[in-house]
Amino acid sequence: MLISKKRSFMGELGSPLNTIAHEIIHWEKHQKFFEILALLNQEETNLSCKVSPDVTPEALQGVEKAVWWAEWQANALALRILMPRVYFDDIFPKIIEEKYSTPYRRTGDVMENALESVAKCFGVSRYEAKLRALQLGYKCAEGSFLYVNGGYKYPYVFNPDALGEYQTFLLDEKNFERLYDEAESFAALFESEAFVYLGYLVCINDEKYVKYLGEDKGYELTQYGLEHVDECCLKFNRNYELNKSSGDYYNMCYLSQNINAASFSETRNIDEEDMQDKKEQAVERQKLKEEGIRVMQILRNLPNSFSGTLNAHMKRLDAYNPRTNRRGKFTNMELAIRTGLSEDYISQLRNDETRVSLESVCALCIGMHLHPILSMDLIKKSKNDFPDDEEGFFGHYLIQHHFMDTLAFCNTQLKAEGYRTWGKIVA
């Protein structure tokens, strides 16, 4: 067997060892088959191993079809012989653990470095190590060594449990265009600008997950997005169809330097349930973003004093009047009813810098249903704060999570725990 140093199976994606293993499989498994070919046709003096087959087995018949499957068998077994499960499963986890002890900045860096190391152990290319890792169930290897349209993409990671047996986050441009044309629900994600396509991933359009680099460069994942792809990117179902393409011939759908080459081997359909979850998540994040803008604008326009802030809140709020079934001005009387504090006292708090207790301020916050950020601002301006004990923790919890409830509800919770109640509730 003569092996050229400059040429090996799958070019730089493969390795000389893979080429040797491929040919050894032919020698071991296909000798009799080759002898039969030679008997049938004396011109058959060698078996040509093509990197990319011209046709699929369905388009072939007889001897040509048998040759196709002989090639498929050699390709499918080569990596399994070079990197047996028992050795790979013993070495790879140890290397990952070792890499985690080094100061890499991202989990994706750890995976790429681990794959580089295990590739050296077995004398194969890093792409072959990646494929073997995927074959053996190390799903997070999917996000390593990605080259898209001639450019390197930072490695991404995700919770392995997020992907099913035949699922992926990767979506090449060919299948993106197909899904965009064929699935109205998929196209609607981009028309609403709720999602963006990164050339290989479909991600929620939120600054937590993606950042805009400009018209020429488009979007890329943020540091958080790179570490939490399962949280922000859509999943797709992989469906191998040999009658439509020849990509599965080498079982190398993840190996190509250009992710677009994955369209050889897979047609991908949307995980509808995941898409619906991500759509709802995007809607909720948009609502949260809008709420953040609203609250922070209110906060920035508030005075520096307690009395001025209380007065500003009451002027911007309105109240529901059950007698008229209308909303109107938020009066001292309305707040007094909600808090048990007297109208005169509330009027005094609005006009003078009067010393006020933490319990009274909390009653005012709940009575006005202030957002927790606005409540904490008002408490701070009153020169109060929650004590560093269990009662303080519980009070902070009520302000954070029950600001839309009544003061009576909050006081019921405080009484049950044996803590002081807020305001002055009149029986």
Side-chain angles (χ1 to χ4, degrees), residues 274-374:
D274 178 64
M275 183 177 71
Q276 188 61 36
D277 289 343
K278 292 295 194 306
K279 283 172 65 177
E280 292 173 1
Q281 182 181 340
V283 170
E284 289 302 314
R285 291 197 64 82
Q286 183 60 30
K287 288 180 181 178
L288 183 62
K289 189 174 184 179
E290 292 171 358
E291 177 70 357
I293 293 172
R294 184 188 73 83
V295 170
M296 296 313 296
Q297 187 167 356
I298 293 171
L299 186 65
R300 283 191 288 267
N301 292 328
L302 291 173
N304 293 324
S305 66
F306 170 79
S307 60
T309 298
L310 174 60
N311 198 41
H313 283 314
M314 291 194 65
K315 285 183 177 181
R316 71 176 180 81
L317 294 172
D318 58 11
Y320 173 70
N321 188 329
R323 292 188 297 274
T324 62
N325 196 29
R326 294 181 181 178
R327 304 193 74 84
K329 184 178 179 182
F330 196 94
T331 63
N332 291 347
M333 179 184 292
E334 178 67 27
L335 190 55
I337 293 171
R338 294 188 184 190
T339 63
L341 303 172
S342 70
E343 289 184 64
D344 290 341
Y345 185 54
I346 292 172
S347 177
Q348 183 182 354
L349 292 177
R350 294 181 67 178
N351 293 286
D352 301 316
E353 287 300 303
T354 303
R355 179 66 182 173
V356 59
S357 69
L358 175 63
E359 291 76 25
S360 293
V361 181
C362 289
L364 292 171
C365 292
I366 296 297
M368 292 185 289
H369 301 308
L370 293 185
H371 187 280
I373 289 178
L374 301 178

Side-chain angles (χ1 to χ4, degrees), residues 8 39 59 90 118 128 146 150 187 200 203 210 227 231-232 247 253 265 271 293 311 341 351 370 374 383 404:
S8 60
L39 287 173
D90 179 56
V118 79
E128 290 168 335
L146 296 175
Y200 65 118
C203 186
V210 293
E227 297 281 344
E231 182 180 318
C232 58
C253 56
S265 57
D271 183 329
I293 293 172
N311 198 41
L341 303 172
N351 293 286
L370 293 185
L374 301 178
K383 296 181 173 58
M404 292 305 295

Side-chain angles (χ1 to χ4, degrees), residues 166 238-243 247-248 251 253-254 265-267:
Y166 296 103
R238 294 188 280 123
N239 180 29
Y240 296 95
E241 298 188 21
L242 285 173
N243 60 331
D248 192 42
N251 191 23
C253 56
Y254 291 101
S265 57
E266 305 175 82
T267 58

